[in-house]
Amino acid sequence: MALAFLDRDRSIAPAGYSRWLVPPAALAIHLSIGQVYSFSVFKNPLLALHAADGSAWNLKEIGYIFSIAIAFLGISAALFGAWLEKAGPRRAMFYAAISFGAGFIIASLGASTHQLALIYLGYGVVGGVGLGLGYISPVSTLIKWFPDRPGLATGLAIMGFGGGAMIGGPLASNLMAHFKAAGQPSIPYTMATMGVLYFIFMMFGVFTIRVPPTGWKPEGWVPKVNHSALISSHNVAVTEAWKTPQFWLLWVMLFVNVTAGIGILEQAAPMIQDLFKGQISPVAAVGFVGILSIFNMAGRFLWASVSDFIGRKGTYFTFFVLGSILYFFLPFSRQDKINSVPLFVAIAALVISMYGGGFATIPAYLKDLFGGFNVSAIHGRLLTAWSAAGIIGPLIVNGILDHYVENHMNKQEAYPLILHIMCGLLVVGFLANLMVRPVAEKFWLKDQNVVVPDGPAH
Amino acid sequence: MAESTTKKSSPLLIAAAWIVVIIPTAWGLDYTVKNALKIFAKPTAAPVVQTK
């Protein structure tokens, strides 16, 4: 069969295969799908598009494109996680490449014919499925290749998702400028070109990814005998995992961490301009968003790597304690208080590094608690917390801002309230993390003992 | 009987795989850093803030 090369059996690494070939494969996928974070570059060009009858879309209608994509990311990750465990990462990455690429092509047709429903279907639904499949596909494979450093391995891949916006944003801007200068329809051509480019780039990941042979261990690596009670030597099936309190505690932790991050990311550019009136130009505000992207990406790798040494629970403890303190003090750096742009930028950047770190550390936390057997599937279900935060976060932020604007109140005063609500949410996350205990024996998968991964004391 | 010698992945192949993902990342990072530095540039013709 033509697609037999996608089978898990055909992607087992031969003896001598270097595990350092696997992170680039994972990065190719995550750098591509991370483009979704830069979707806002299409907002103004889409607003400027007019149908034959002169009608145009509004900001709210265009905003739904991103929301649908993120919702389908969570839904598809939850639905296809268990299938991915059986089908293997190569097949999942292949379908992710097709979906993500096809999503762009369908959306380009929608832009070309001025049919918003086609863009919702293409970029939102089809592309969103590609996002979900692509996001979870390399995670368990990386954990199996790096049992000695699961945080570093997943951090590397998920860092790519944060970095994807840094490529997707300028790529889209440059392509639109190029097609516009050439007198061609800029958005449809840009979307179609990006669909093809991302498909090719993701196929590099498809062809490079390999799963380790059964029982493979890094050369010279001996699992530690003494390890934290939170690092399980047993597996838990996905069907049991979501019945455990640990799953829901981690769900709450991811949810509050993402919601808090969205509190800044959702309004980053207008927020800094409102808090420092007259001091920050629109161009500088875009620069601020750029700084946040860099720290979002770097935090994924750095915090996840640190978690290999201080433990997952210790890492989240840092996120929630340091995070809540920083969220509390962030508004005080504004113009009518301390009036320090560098202080505001530094605090926001550190906070966003922990937002990214939360995403990157969660797969290793799941692996510690539930074992590696179904980690992709469990991770997939946990990502519904992201979808929920993607809806609730903007609702809180925009709801409060709208309330201030509608009631002719000083908008500048809305931000401290928003940031202090986020601070409160992080306290909830802190309590959830504190309650995480080893998974009870009744949930263990029988006769599926695994090699205990290396890990720090939590 | 299985062959005892195993062919290890070439370091060149590993380097090439990393280059494939590092090049676009470096391009995006360069573009982003250049934009990000604008936040520390002095604003041109900043409007006067009215204080009561």
Side-chain angles (χ1 to χ4, degrees), chain A residues 15-18 20-21 23-24 31 166-167 170-171 174 201 272 277-279 283-284 287-288 290-291 294 345, chain B residues 6-9 13-14 17-18 20-21 24-25 27-29 31-33 35-36 38-40 43 46-47 49:
Chain A
Y17 183 85
S18 171
W20 290 103
L21 282 164
L31 283 169
M166 294 194 320
I167 301 169
L171 178 65
N174 286 329
F201 194 51
I272 193 167
K277 282 232 182 280
Q279 284 178 261
V283 175
F288 174 58
I291 289 175
I294 293 168
V345 173
Chain B
T6 54
K7 194 182 165 194
K8 290 204 167 188
S9 300
L13 182 72
I14 298 168
W18 278 96
V20 168
V21 291
T25 309
W27 176 75
L29 190 63
Y31 190 96
T32 309
V33 168
N35 267 320
K38 288 173 188 165
I39 196 170
F40 300 112
V49 183

Side-chain angles (χ1 to χ4, degrees), chain A residues 107-359:
Chain A
S108 81
L109 289 174
S112 172
T113 56
H114 207 267
Q115 293 184 71
L116 193 56
L118 262 185
I119 303 182
Y120 288 159
L121 173 71
Y123 194 88
V125 179
V126 180
V129 170
L131 291 178
L133 276 176
Y135 194 92
I136 58 171
S137 57
V139 170
S140 72
T141 305
L142 280 164
I143 285 175
K144 282 168 193 157
W145 276 112
F146 291 85
D148 48 341
R149 289 282 176 271
L152 176 140
T154 54
L156 259 176
I158 293 172
M159 173 185 74
F161 196 82
M166 294 194 320
I167 301 169
L171 178 65
S173 299
N174 286 329
L175 282 172
M176 282 190 285
H178 167 77
F179 287 122
K180 197 174 179 182
Q184 289 156 330
S186 63
I187 304 178
Y189 277 40
T190 297
M191 285 183 162
T193 307
M194 288 176 80
V196 173
L197 288 176
Y198 278 126
F199 176 77
I200 294 168
F201 194 51
M202 290 170 85
M203 287 307 286
F204 163 74
V206 171
F207 286 117
T208 311
I209 194 83
R210 294 282 188 284
V211 292
T214 310
W216 179 88
K217 280 191 302 179
E219 212 173 296
W221 176 66
V222 181
K224 280 183 184 168
V225 179
N226 295 322
H227 56 84
S228 160
L230 281 179
I231 300 179
S232 177
S233 55
H234 296 269
N235 288 307
V236 178
V238 63
T239 46
E240 291 298 311
W242 74 286
K243 295 175 190 165
T244 65
Q246 288 82 357
F247 176 87
W248 292 105
L249 289 170
L250 262 61
W251 194 98
V252 168
M253 287 158 55
L254 184 65
F255 172 78
V256 298
N257 198 48
V258 178
T259 307
I262 286 172
I264 290 181
L265 287 174
E266 170 79 6
Q267 287 292 327
M271 184 192 288
I272 193 167
Q273 289 177 94
D274 288 339
L275 292 178
F276 296 94
K277 282 232 182 280
Q279 284 178 261
I280 302 291
S281 67
V283 175
V286 173
F288 174 58
V289 176
I291 289 175
L292 296 185
S293 322
I294 293 168
F295 276 83
N296 181 8
M297 181 182 78
R300 289 167 192 249
F301 177 67
L302 293 174
W303 285 112
S305 302
V306 164
S307 78
D308 285 334
F309 298 97
I310 66 168
R312 278 22 115 175
K313 196 168 184 174
T315 307
Y316 272 92
F317 177 86
T318 310
F319 291 163
F320 293 132
V321 171
L322 186 59
S324 46
I325 293 169
L326 293 176
Y327 269 95
F328 184 80
F329 282 107
L330 185 59
F332 295 105
S333 60
R334 70 182 192 263
Q335 198 170 47
D336 58 345
K337 299 282 180 186
I338 299 172
N339 190 20
S340 172
V341 174
L343 182 66
F344 179 85
V345 173
I347 294 177
L350 187 53
V351 155
I352 292 304
S353 83
M354 294 190 280
Y355 163 81
F359 275 116

Side-chain angles (χ1 to χ4, degrees), chain A residues 363-420:
Chain A
Y365 210 158
L366 290 171
K367 154 77 174 162
D368 288 354
L369 290 168
F370 301 108
F373 180 67
N374 264 173
V375 72
S376 283
I378 300 167
H379 186 213
R381 292 197 181 183
L382 197 81
L383 290 180
T384 50
W386 183 4
S387 300
I391 296 165
I392 303 294
L395 273 179
I396 296 173
V397 176
N398 296 326
I400 292 172
L401 286 172
D402 284 347
H403 173 77
Y404 271 71
V405 172
E406 283 163 13
N407 291 287
H408 309 291
M409 295 156 80
N410 185 0
K411 197 179 164 195
Q412 206 180 16
E413 295 302 322
Y415 294 111
L417 176 62
I418 291 167
L419 294 168
H420 288 157

